[in-house]
Amino acid sequence: MLRQLEGSQAVAETVALCRPEVICAYPISPQTHIVEALSRLVTAGRLAPCEYVNVESEFAAMSACIGASAAAARAYTATASQGLLYMAEALYNASGLGLPIVMTVANRAIGAPINIWNDHSDSMSQRDSGWIQLYAETNQEAVDLHVQAFALAEELSLPVMVCMDGFVLTHAFERVDLPSQEQVDAFLPAYEPRQVLDPDDPASIGAMVGPEAFTEVRYLAHARHLQALERIPSLAAGFERAFGRSSGGLVRGYRIGGPGCEDGAGADAGADAGADTVVLALGSVLGTVKDVVDELRDAGSAVGAATLTTFRPFPFEAVRALLGRTRRVVVLERAFATGVGGIVSADVRAALPDAEIRTVVAGLGGRA
């Protein structure tokens, strides 16, 4: 159904369609509208028998999600900025335990100084926490990624964060095609947990592991992330067949020309001459980048654009397939590693050792 909705409301209604059984909520801008909208849906009885848990902090929110997920409930929460940092210890526990929690991160700068505007500093700081990270370009993609995130998380027993730009998307009113309950139910099966804490059949999870086994545990988590690189394109392709639109996947090109990268989420059309320079960016800024690419193409410049929908695990092979023939890649960074520089650039450089990789840091703290 096509509706004109605020991004947060669209995400909340989509999460509701995924039938969460426990929602843990603590407010922090700019994600608060998401959990507020979900609270109204729970109060109205639309999510019954979902339990909405008001907690005292973001750490408590993730801790409660861990307990709920371990007890066989489909669990969800949302956060941003300092709230994500406050969860950091619990984030590692959730991924280490292999719990399929889904969380929305409404990307926002982290302090000090205090800043409530958008950049990717928060989620990038947790890139190695073991969570799959998906980045939405539009509110429509944010809607679609949440449906896919629950399916991916539960198939692989991995937590997934769906990142959408704070205010730029969360508070923007756009036309969004919301799926029906029947469509979501057909795509997302009922949750069947691989591990369950049951008082009638007691067991321990998260027990201490000595040096003789810790490396193997970490490697198993890495192996599941590698499986995600195979499943994400398949899920995106299945989503396109079921819902009639392309969304998600690993990496996408725009006006790059030449052979596209078939990643299950729409390849570059290949109608233009091969791009000498490609601007790669994550999130909503890609819309502006595409407009600039159109202008430069009209002026005769061989320029294209690309986006990473999946940042963790990093899709090295897909990036090589899409950009391996590109001479220069300009990575537009929305976060900054102090003392190092670009964050995304490092992975792109590893994927494309023969290309000229340039880093441009822009938009920190919402700066235009």
Side-chain angles (χ1 to χ4, degrees):
M1 179 183 296
L2 289 175
R3 296 172 61 186
Q4 191 78 8
L5 284 176
E6 183 196 51
S8 295
Q9 179 73 34
V11 166
E13 296 205 19
T14 303
V15 169
L17 293 171
C18 295
R19 301 187 185 275
E21 296 165 290
V22 174
I23 298 170
C24 302
Y26 190 82
I28 183 172
S29 294
Q31 71 82 15
T32 305
H33 288 185
I34 298 173
V35 292
E36 282 182 344
L38 282 166
S39 73
R40 290 192 292 269
L41 294 173
V42 172
T43 301
R46 285 183 52 186
L47 272 71
C50 178
E51 183 171 354
Y52 189 93
V53 185
N54 286 305
V55 293
E56 68 275 14
S57 70
E58 291 87 357
F59 179 84
M62 184 50 58
S63 298
C65 279
I66 289 172
S69 184
R74 181 174 282 167
Y76 169 84
T77 190
T79 193
S81 187
Q82 251 74 8
L84 185 65
L85 300 190
Y86 198 14
M87 285 182 179
E89 179 183 346
L91 292 179
Y92 280 83
N93 288 335
S95 60
L97 293 170
L99 298 174
I101 300 164
V102 172
M103 174 169 61
T104 308
V105 176
N107 289 115
R108 175 191 138 185
I110 54 179
I114 295 173
N115 181 295
I116 67 167
W117 288 271
N118 168 246
D119 66 27
H120 292 164
S121 301
D122 48 6
S123 55
M124 287 291 168
S125 76
Q126 302 305 311
R127 62 191 178 276
D128 297 327
S129 63
W131 283 61
I132 292 174
Q133 289 195 3
L134 307 177
Y135 285 78
E137 177 187 346
T138 64
N139 281 336
Q140 182 66 67
E141 190 168 36
V143 163
D144 298 344
L145 286 177
H146 279 84
V147 178
Q148 296 176 54
F150 278 102
L152 179 66
E154 292 168 11
E155 181 176 339
L156 296 180
S157 288
L158 284 173
V160 179
M161 63 176 73
V162 179
C163 304
M164 60 186 300
D165 287 347
F167 296 110
V168 180
L169 293 183
T170 58
H171 287 56
F173 280 78
E174 295 180 352
R175 190 178 73 165
V176 177
D177 187 358
L178 284 182
S180 68
Q181 186 66 71
E182 292 73 20
Q183 285 178 305
V184 175
D185 287 344
F187 183 84
L188 177 63
Y191 179 34
E192 295 184 4
R194 297 187 183 182
Q195 56 183 350
V196 178
L197 282 179
D198 183 352
D200 295 329
D201 184 18
S204 295
I205 66 170
M208 189 172 73
V209 172
E212 73 285 350
F214 188 80
T215 299
E216 286 75 6
V217 172
R218 300 304 295 169
Y219 179 78
L220 288 173
H222 175 67
R224 287 202 298 273
H225 270 253
L226 296 182
Q227 292 175 20
L229 290 174
E230 299 177 0
R231 288 301 301 142
I232 289 170
S234 298
L235 277 172
F239 184 91
E240 184 174 3
R241 290 191 297 270
F243 295 84
R245 58 179 176 269
S246 174
S247 193
L250 299 175
V251 57
R252 292 196 303 272
Y254 179 75
R255 303 196 71 171
I256 291 175
C261 172
E262 295 291 348
D263 71 350
D268 184 48
D272 299 297
D276 293 328
T277 300
V278 172
V279 179
L280 185 145
L282 281 65
S284 63
V285 72
L286 191 73
T288 302
V289 172
K290 287 178 177 178
D291 289 341
V292 174
V293 166
D294 288 341
E295 294 176 3
L296 292 174
R297 278 287 185 177
D298 291 343
S301 297
V303 179
T307 186
L308 288 169
T309 303
T310 303
F311 179 63
R312 283 293 182 271
F314 192 85
F316 288 99
E317 293 299 328
V319 169
R320 291 188 191 105
L322 182 64
L323 302 177
R325 301 182 183 182
T326 303
R327 183 170 61 88
R328 181 188 302 110
V329 178
V330 179
V331 182
L332 181 59
E333 303 268 9
R334 302 296 309 284
F336 185 75
T338 306
V340 177
I343 296 172
V344 181
S345 305
D347 291 333
V348 174
R349 188 171 288 110
L352 304 170
D354 297 327
E356 177 186 347
I357 310 298
R358 297 190 178 181
T359 302
V360 176
V361 178
L364 297 185
R367 185 170 181 173

